[in-house]
Each structure stands twice: as C-alpha cells, then as structure tokens.
Amino acid sequence: EHQIQQRVEQLQNELEQESKHNASYKSQNEDLRARVIQAEKILHETSQANADAISEYTQEISRLQADSQQLSKSLEATQLELETKKQDISLTAKVNELQASLVAMKQETDIISQHNRELTDSNTRLQQEKTNISQSLEARATAAE
C-alpha cells in the first residue's frame, strides 16, 4: 500500500510537470500563431500597396503613351499640312508667306518633338520607378515571410 501511495505521488508529480511543460508549449504556440497572423496582415498590406502602386503607374504610363501617340499624330498632321501648303501655294506670289509658315511649323515641330522626348523620358522614369517599387515590395514581402 505504501508503494502504491508513492507511485501515485510520483505519477501526480509527473503529471504536474507535463502540465507545466504543455502550458509552455501552448504559450509558444499562441505566440507563433500571433506572429503568423501579423505576418499575414503585413503581407496582405504589402501586396495591396504593391498592387495600388502598379495600378497607378500603369495608368500614368497609359496616359503618357496616349499623349505620345496624340503628339505623333499631331506631328504627322502638321507635316501633311506643310506638304499641302507647299503644293497649294504658288511659288511666285506666296514665297514670303510660305517661308513664314515653314518657320512657324518648324518651331511647332521642334516643340512637339521636344514634348515627345520629354514624355518618352518620363515614361522611362516611371517604368524604372515601377520596377524599383515592385522589387522593393517583393523584397519586403519575402522578408516578412
């Protein structure tokens, strides 16, 4: 009977130690679960920010491409107008008028070309910023994992 009592006490001690040990694991598990939830939240926020930035830059690039196409069409129209004027104006009576028109169109063409170059440069910068942001956000997402 004394042995049984000792065995019961020993089993109670073991049970108490296992309970403490399990409580420690439970605490670690809850901590890890909270960290996973936080990491998932950060990943979601980062993914959303990345998607928003990509959308914004994609829209800006589309706008710049549309502006560039419009400028190109305008340049073509201006060049066609210049050709039409060259053919329609008589060389003898309208030489001075034609020369003034040519100068103005050359200036307009230079302005359009300069604007087109600026839009192309801006488009290139935006593409690079988009790439940099995407890489940065992917790096953050990877680091968060």
Side-chain angles (χ1 to χ4, degrees):
E1 202 174 297
H2 179 58
Q3 286 180 337
I4 294 174
Q5 182 64 27
Q6 284 180 338
R7 182 66 180 146
V8 168
E9 288 176 10
Q10 180 185 5
L11 289 173
Q12 285 176 340
N13 286 339
E14 287 177 11
L15 181 60
E16 187 178 319
Q17 287 186 5
E18 284 297 318
S19 293
K20 288 179 183 177
H21 192 65
N22 285 342
S24 171
Y25 279 141
K26 184 178 179 182
S27 174
Q28 288 176 357
N29 190 19
E30 289 173 1
D31 182 49
L32 288 174
R33 183 177 294 124
R35 289 170 55 193
V36 166
I37 290 170
Q38 182 63 25
E40 288 173 344
K41 180 181 176 187
I42 290 170
L43 178 61
H44 175 73
E45 290 170 355
T46 302
S47 295
Q48 185 62 46
N50 187 19
D52 292 346
I54 288 170
S55 175
E56 178 184 329
Y57 286 113
T58 300
Q59 290 173 0
E60 183 65 16
I61 288 167
S62 294
R63 186 189 64 76
L64 290 171
Q65 287 172 337
D67 287 352
S68 179
Q69 288 175 352
Q70 182 61 35
L71 287 171
S72 181
K73 287 178 183 178
S74 177
L75 178 59
E76 288 176 20
T78 301
Q79 289 171 338
L80 286 174
E81 185 180 336
L82 177 60
E83 289 300 317
T84 301
K85 283 186 179 183
K86 283 181 182 178
Q87 293 171 1
D88 290 348
I89 297 175
S90 70
L91 293 176
T92 56
K94 305 264 181 173
V95 169
N96 290 336
E97 183 182 332
L98 180 58
Q99 287 175 341
S101 178
L102 287 172
V103 168
M105 287 188 174
K106 172 70 171 111
Q107 290 172 345
E108 185 178 339
T109 300
D110 289 345
I111 290 168
I112 290 170
S113 294
Q114 177 62 31
H115 191 74
N116 193 19
R117 282 191 297 274
E118 291 170 3
L119 285 173
T120 301
D121 290 345
S122 178
N123 189 8
T124 301
R125 283 191 306 277
L126 286 172
Q127 287 283 12
Q128 185 59 46
E129 285 181 31
K130 179 181 174 183
T131 300
N132 292 344
I133 287 172
S134 292
Q135 290 171 350
S136 173
L137 291 174
E138 287 173 8
R140 284 186 197 167
T142 301
E145 290 176 1

